[in-house]
Amino acid sequence: MKPCPFWNQRAVLITGATGLLGSRLVVALAGRGAHVHVLMRPQGSRTGAWDGVSPVLVKGDVQEGARLRGVLAAHAIETVFHLAAQSIVGLAQAEPVPTLEANIRGTWNVLEACRLTPSVGRLLVASTDKAYGEQPGIPFHEETPLQALHPYAASKACADILARTYAHTYALPVCVTRCANLYGPGDLNFSRIIPSTIRAVLRNERPVLRSDGRMKRDYLYVQDAVLACLELAERAQEDRCRGQAFNFTSEEPLTTLDVVRRVLAAAGRPDLEPLVGGAVEGEIQDTVLSAERARRILAWQPRFSMAEALNETVAWYRNRLASDEERSRTLPTGSD
């Protein structure tokens, strides 16, 4: 990829850079010529698929405010993508305090560090469609009140509000993304429905649904999410964008069971009948977004159909799991 005039030589910091979206964003920004820095906890590891890209690794944690300010100043960071979060709903339900600390304290530390660092000219904070909570009607627009009532969703709603507070109170050029459920190559969180279904298929097993399969969700291919983040960050200083939240979604709501069947078709195994569970505590029944604001202001729309995105995703997992099996067969065995 050729350097992009906007991002070329620009110093960028990404938190959460080993996650599904963060890892793809590292690659995209590096390809556009940016000087990419990633914040890594001391005990962190390079689990993200950076495809040979070597960003600057900076040790630190979003819960360390003073350290964050030092990092931003020392590297003259101009743009920050704050993606780091504890995002496992079940873990948040079982252990809420670490999730609240990571997602709320971590966000206010990033916001305050950016406010106090003159070089920072734009900031993007990742919220989630879960921040809307249960609503009387769908789809959700950005003006829909945030009514999250479960620990993970509530933590993201708080972070969302804090980001917009800093924009309003301190004129911080921060924007908020509320993405639909992301999927794509590189996601090794097998508690999510798409990777877990693909893994089951490749093992010739029936996929297992934790829920009754009737919950309705929007989905978004990770590459479309990357392009959305880049576009919004580029325009963060504009009056129509600064301090605003934007929904990003394919606007194709599907039940969980429908998604599983699409994955089975993409993997060439429509004959595998899923095992369907029951209701799941802490999950919102229907989460459906409108991307009208993104279309109108950013001229953004998804570039990938779900069919082609799933084909690429299945191919990645097929290669990855085959490589894992090959490595396990060639590992040396121990001796007595």
Side-chain angles (χ1 to χ4, degrees):
M1 182 181 296
K2 295 181 180 179
C4 166
F6 183 89
W7 294 106
N8 193 33
Q9 304 301 311
R10 195 176 291 267
V12 177
L13 177 73
I14 303 175
T15 74
T18 59
L20 174 59
L21 176 57
S23 61
R24 296 296 87 205
L25 193 57
V26 168
V27 174
L29 283 163
R32 286 163 171 77
H35 294 306
V36 184
H37 304 69
V38 303
L39 189 72
M40 297 282 290
R41 288 178 295 179
Q43 68 273 27
S45 61
R46 274 191 52 168
T47 57
W50 292 342
D51 290 347
V53 172
S54 299
V56 178
L57 303 182
V58 182
K59 293 296 184 181
D61 192 304
V62 293
Q63 297 193 54
E64 301 170 345
R67 173 63 178 156
L68 277 172
R69 293 194 295 274
V71 166
L72 296 178
H75 297 276
I77 298 298
E78 198 278 338
T79 302
V80 176
F81 292 88
H82 176 45
L83 313 179
Q86 194 304 99
S87 60
I88 307 302
V89 174
L91 180 59
Q93 196 79 8
E95 301 179 16
V97 172
T99 297
L100 298 175
E101 289 180 339
N103 296 356
I104 303 175
R105 183 194 300 274
T107 299
W108 86 51
N109 279 336
V110 170
L111 291 165
E112 184 67 359
C114 290
R115 183 180 76 87
L116 297 174
T117 306
S119 64
V120 175
R122 61 198 70 240
L123 166 62
L124 185 142
V125 172
S127 182
T128 172
D129 57 353
K130 312 302 182 295
Y132 289 109
E134 295 283 1
Q135 299 286 342
I138 54 176
F140 306 159
H141 296 266
E142 288 84 355
E143 295 82 6
T144 301
L146 305 185
Q147 298 184 158
L149 294 177
H150 297 289
Y152 167 69
S155 72
K156 296 299 287 184
C158 289
D160 190 313
I161 292 169
L162 283 172
R164 289 178 290 121
T165 295
Y166 266 71
H168 176 78
T169 306
Y170 304 109
L172 190 68
V174 55
C175 299
V176 175
T177 64
R178 297 174 186 160
C179 288
N181 289 279
L182 300 181
Y183 68 96
D187 187 3
L188 297 178
N189 181 356
F190 290 102
S191 68
R192 297 190 177 116
I193 190 63
I194 289 179
S196 67
T197 300
I198 295 173
R199 183 172 66 174
V201 171
L202 298 181
R203 292 176 173 177
N204 199 33
E205 299 171 350
R206 295 171 64 186
V208 178
L209 278 66
R210 294 181 296 111
S211 70
D212 59 13
R214 295 184 296 177
M215 292 188 299
K216 191 174 291 185
R217 296 284 185 270
D218 274 342
Y219 293 84
L220 184 65
Y221 189 46
V222 65
Q223 288 301 116
D224 279 321
V226 166
L227 295 174
C229 289
L230 292 174
E231 179 67 24
L232 184 56
E234 289 178 20
R235 300 178 60 177
Q237 295 182 345
E238 296 180 11
D239 290 341
R240 293 194 301 172
C241 297
R242 185 179 61 246
Q244 298 298 314
F246 286 79
N247 293 337
F248 294 109
T249 172
S250 64
E251 293 187 300
E252 187 182 5
L254 298 167
T255 67
T256 306
L257 195 54
D258 286 338
V259 170
V260 169
R261 287 176 174 149
R262 290 198 182 198
V263 173
L264 293 175
R269 291 301 307 273
D271 57 300
L272 284 177
E273 189 65 27
L275 296 167
V276 180
V280 178
E281 184 180 1
E283 292 276 12
I284 301 165
Q285 183 60 36
D286 294 330
T287 303
V288 179
L289 303 178
S290 166
E292 188 277 332
R293 176 180 287 179
R295 285 196 306 273
R296 173 170 46 85
I297 295 178
L298 305 176
W300 175 89
Q301 60 182 3
R303 295 186 183 181
F304 298 87
S305 70
M306 192 171 202
E308 63 181 320
L310 283 177
N311 286 337
E312 292 185 6
T313 302
V314 169
W316 185 88
Y317 283 98
R318 199 184 299 276
N319 292 333
R320 171 60 185 253
L321 294 177
S323 298
D324 289 347
E325 290 177 4
E326 180 64 25
R327 280 195 297 270
S328 67
R329 284 196 298 268
T330 58
L331 286 174
T333 59
S335 59
D336 294 335

